[in-house]
């Protein structure tokens, strides 16, 4: 609770880094996401501050890792930091390297942040790609606000299993959001780069129809649509120079 309160007191950048860990072979993990909206005209200051913080953290023997993604569309200049943890107990852990760099966070990062938000999500391996992110530098994230969880999950599991049956693998990484008032679920679909978007591929509904026919596809799409109260999507590019791997 101490960490969460500090996050919403706008000391989030410093403290959330203490929950970052290296990827584990076990798929039963949680993903912490911290979203920063950077003040207009402050991008260079913000990114320079993050680079200073990362160097300080590394110089002080910091062991945690994370990825930083920059949102492509929408209002404002938004960055999202993603880190993994295996249990809630890791939220109580301290990180001496992080504390050693606190002055940089307060002087060179926080002044350039307009707003921030934090969420914790649970990975859904049964619906997700088996392969890791690899050298992909772009992800397209589809968010879903759900009003009928049972119907939503029934359709998603049916469609995802059909795509896997047809293509041999699932297309993205699925997460359920724990608490909060944003999306309830999201799927992150990795791509090598923007050029990959020019490659024409069948939609998941097209694949579903090729296996189950038009009538069942129509019914599944209607059931899926009725299960949602909202849906939105954004593309994000990997900021390698701001990440710590």
């Amino acid at each position: 609770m101490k960490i969460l309160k500090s996050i919403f007191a706008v000391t989030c950048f410093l403290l959330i880094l203490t929950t970052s860990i290296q990827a584990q072979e076990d798929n039963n993990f949680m993903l912490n996401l911290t979203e920063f909206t950077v003040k207009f005209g402050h991008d260079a200051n913000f990114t320079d501050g993050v680079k200073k913080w990362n160097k300080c953290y590394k110089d002080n023997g910091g062991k945690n890792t994370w990825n930083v993604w920059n949102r492509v569309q929408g209002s404002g200049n938004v960055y999202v930091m993603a880190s993994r943890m295996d249990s809630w107990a890791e939220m109580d852990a301290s990180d001496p390297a992080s504390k050693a760099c606190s002055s940089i966070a307060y002087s060179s990062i926080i002044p350039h942040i307009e707003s921030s938000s934090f969420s914790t999500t649970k990975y859904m391996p049964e619906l997700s790609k088996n392969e890791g992110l690899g050298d992909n530098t772009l992800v397209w994230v589809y968010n879903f606000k759900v009003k009928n969880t049972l119907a939503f999950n029934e359709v998603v599991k049916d469609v995802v299993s059909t795509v896997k049956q047809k293509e041999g693998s699932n297309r993205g990484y699925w997460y359920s959001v724990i608490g909060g008032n944003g999306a309830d679920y999201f799927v992150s679909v990795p791509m090598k780069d923007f050029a990959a978007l020019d490659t024409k591929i069948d939609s998941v509904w097209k694949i579903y129809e090729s296996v189950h026919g038009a009538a069942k596809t129509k019914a599944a799409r209607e059931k899926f649509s009725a299960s949602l109260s909202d849906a939105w999507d954004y593309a994000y590019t990997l900021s390698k120079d701001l990440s710590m791997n």
Side-chain angles (χ1 to χ4, degrees), residues 13 35 49 53 57 60-61 67 75 96 99 112 122 136 147 160 194 212 219:
F13 191 90
E35 181 177 292
W53 199 99
Y57 185 77
N60 280 276
N67 281 328
S75 60
K99 293 179 180 178
H112 307 296
K122 182 70 174 177
N136 292 295
K147 61 184 179 181
V160 167
F194 282 106
H212 300 290

Coordinates of all heavy atoms in Angstrom, one line a residue, residues 13 35 49 53 57 60-61 67 75 96 99 112 122 136 147 160 194 212 219:
F13 N 7.4 7.2 -10.5 CA 8.5 6.8 -11.4 C 9.6 6.1 -10.6 O 10.1 5.1 -11.0 CB 9.1 7.9 -12.2 CG 10.0 7.4 -13.3 CD1 9.5 7.2 -14.5 CD2 11.3 7.2 -13.0 CE1 10.3 6.7 -15.5 CE2 12.1 6.7 -14.0 CZ 11.6 6.5 -15.3
E35 N 1.7 4.5 -16.7 CA 1.5 5.3 -17.9 C 1.8 6.8 -17.5 O 1.3 7.3 -16.5 CB 0.1 5.2 -18.4 CG -0.2 6.1 -19.6 CD -1.6 5.8 -20.1 OE1 -1.9 4.7 -20.6 OE2 -2.4 6.8 -20.0
G49 N 16.0 12.8 -18.6 CA 16.0 12.5 -17.1 C 15.9 11.0 -16.9 O 16.6 10.4 -16.0
W53 N 18.5 8.6 -14.9 CA 18.1 7.7 -13.9 C 18.5 6.3 -14.2 O 19.0 5.6 -13.3 CB 16.6 7.7 -13.7 CG 16.1 7.2 -12.4 CD1 15.7 7.9 -11.3 CD2 15.9 5.8 -12.1 NE1 15.3 7.1 -10.3 CE2 15.4 5.8 -10.7 CE3 16.1 4.6 -12.7 CZ2 15.2 4.6 -10.0 CZ3 15.8 3.4 -12.0 CH2 15.4 3.5 -10.7
Y57 N 20.9 4.0 -11.9 CA 20.5 2.7 -11.3 C 21.4 1.6 -11.7 O 21.8 0.8 -10.8 CB 19.1 2.4 -12.0 CG 18.4 1.2 -11.4 CD1 17.8 1.2 -10.2 CD2 18.4 0.0 -12.2 CE1 17.2 0.1 -9.7 CE2 17.8 -1.1 -11.7 CZ 17.2 -1.1 -10.4 OH 16.6 -2.2 -9.9
N60 N 24.7 1.8 -9.7 CA 24.5 1.4 -8.3 C 24.1 0.0 -8.1 O 23.6 -0.4 -7.0 CB 23.4 2.3 -7.6 CG 24.0 3.7 -7.2 OD1 24.5 3.8 -6.1 ND2 23.8 4.7 -8.1
G61 N 24.3 -0.8 -9.2 CA 24.1 -2.3 -9.1 C 22.7 -2.7 -9.2 O 22.3 -3.8 -8.8
N67 N 10.5 -2.5 -19.8 CA 10.5 -2.0 -21.1 C 9.6 -0.7 -21.1 O 8.7 -0.6 -20.3 CB 9.8 -2.9 -22.1 CG 10.7 -4.0 -22.6 OD1 11.9 -3.8 -22.7 ND2 10.2 -5.2 -22.8
S75 N -4.4 11.7 -27.8 CA -4.0 13.0 -27.3 C -2.8 12.9 -26.3 O -2.7 11.9 -25.5 CB -5.2 13.7 -26.6 OG -5.6 12.9 -25.5
P96 N 17.8 -0.7 -3.0 CA 18.8 0.3 -2.6 C 19.3 1.1 -3.8 O 19.5 2.3 -3.7 CB 20.0 -0.5 -2.0 CG 19.3 -1.8 -1.5 CD 18.2 -2.1 -2.5
K99 N 16.7 3.8 -4.6 CA 16.7 4.8 -3.6 C 17.9 5.8 -3.8 O 17.8 7.0 -3.6 CB 16.8 4.2 -2.2 CG 15.5 3.5 -1.8 CD 15.6 2.9 -0.4 CE 14.3 2.2 0.0 NZ 14.4 1.5 1.4
H112 N 8.6 17.0 -15.3 CA 8.2 17.0 -16.8 C 7.0 16.1 -17.0 O 6.5 15.9 -18.2 CB 9.3 16.6 -17.6 CG 10.6 17.4 -17.4 ND1 10.7 18.7 -17.6 CD2 11.8 17.0 -16.8 CE1 11.9 19.1 -17.3 NE2 12.6 18.1 -16.8
K122 N -2.9 -9.5 -15.0 CA -2.6 -10.9 -14.9 C -2.5 -11.5 -16.2 O -3.4 -11.3 -17.1 CB -3.7 -11.6 -14.1 CG -3.4 -13.1 -13.9 CD -2.3 -13.3 -12.9 CE -2.1 -14.8 -12.6 NZ -1.0 -15.1 -11.7
N136 N 10.7 -7.7 -32.1 CA 9.6 -6.8 -32.5 C 9.7 -5.5 -31.7 O 9.9 -5.4 -30.5 CB 8.3 -7.5 -32.1 CG 8.0 -8.7 -33.0 OD1 7.8 -8.5 -34.2 ND2 8.0 -9.9 -32.5
K147 N -18.9 -5.8 -20.0 CA -20.1 -5.8 -19.1 C -20.7 -7.2 -18.9 O -21.6 -7.4 -18.1 CB -21.2 -4.9 -19.7 CG -21.7 -5.2 -21.1 CD -22.7 -4.1 -21.6 CE -23.2 -4.4 -23.0 NZ -24.2 -3.4 -23.4
V160 N -9.8 -17.5 -30.3 CA -8.4 -17.7 -30.2 C -8.0 -19.1 -30.5 O -7.0 -19.4 -31.2 CB -7.9 -17.3 -28.8 CG1 -6.5 -17.8 -28.5 CG2 -8.0 -15.8 -28.6
F194 N 6.6 -0.8 -38.4 CA 5.5 -0.3 -39.1 C 5.2 -0.9 -40.5 O 4.1 -1.0 -41.0 CB 5.6 1.3 -39.2 CG 5.2 2.0 -37.9 CD1 6.2 2.5 -37.2 CD2 3.9 2.1 -37.5 CE1 6.0 3.2 -36.0 CE2 3.6 2.7 -36.3 CZ 4.6 3.3 -35.6
H212 N -15.8 -22.2 -39.2 CA -17.1 -22.4 -38.6 C -18.3 -22.0 -39.5 O -19.4 -22.3 -39.2 CB -17.2 -21.7 -37.3 CG -16.2 -22.2 -36.3 ND1 -16.2 -23.4 -35.7 CD2 -15.1 -21.6 -35.8 CE1 -15.2 -23.6 -34.9 NE2 -14.5 -22.5 -34.9
A219 N -23.1 -14.9 -35.3 CA -23.6 -15.1 -33.9 C -22.5 -14.8 -32.9 O -22.8 -14.1 -31.9 CB -24.2 -16.5 -33.7

